[in-house]
Amino acid sequence: MAECKTLCEWCNHPFGQHVARYSCQHNCTFCEVCTTARLRFQCPNCQGVLRCVQPGNENPKA
Ligand SMILES: [Zn+2]
Ligand SMILES: [Zn+2]
């Protein structure tokens, strides 16, 4: 049911509509604070690289 994630999986901080978030190849999604300061761009679930997802571009084809 949660196709479009709205909460950081690490701190449960809600994403605003215009806030960048970061996700890995398995769509684990985290806020910018967690990604940069806590997780260091590495997904804690799958060890994948977290990439920035810009607002309004939540389903990148690549
Ligand atoms: Zn967070
Ligand atoms: Zn992951």
Side-chain angles (χ1 to χ4, degrees), residues 14-38:
F15 297 125
Q17 285 190 328
H18 304 290
V19 177
R21 71 288 313 269
Y22 292 77
S23 65
C24 74
Q25 58 185 332
H26 298 294
N27 282 327
C28 313
T29 308
F30 305 95
C31 71
E32 183 168 30
V33 172
C34 288
T35 299
T36 58
R38 297 168 184 163

Side-chain angles (χ1 to χ4, degrees), residues 4-58:
C4 185
K5 295 182 180 178
T6 56
L7 294 175
C8 171
E9 293 185 23
W10 194 253
C11 68
N12 286 328
H13 184 79
F15 297 125
Q17 285 190 328
H18 304 290
V19 177
R21 71 288 313 269
Y22 292 77
S23 65
C24 74
Q25 58 185 332
H26 298 294
N27 282 327
C28 313
T29 308
F30 305 95
C31 71
E32 183 168 30
V33 172
C34 288
T35 299
T36 58
R38 297 168 184 163
L39 303 177
R40 303 283 178 173
F41 294 92
Q42 185 178 58
C43 176
N45 298 328
C46 67
Q47 314 307 313
V49 176
L50 295 172
R51 300 179 186 281
C52 184
V53 179
Q54 296 296 336
N57 185 27
E58 307 201 352

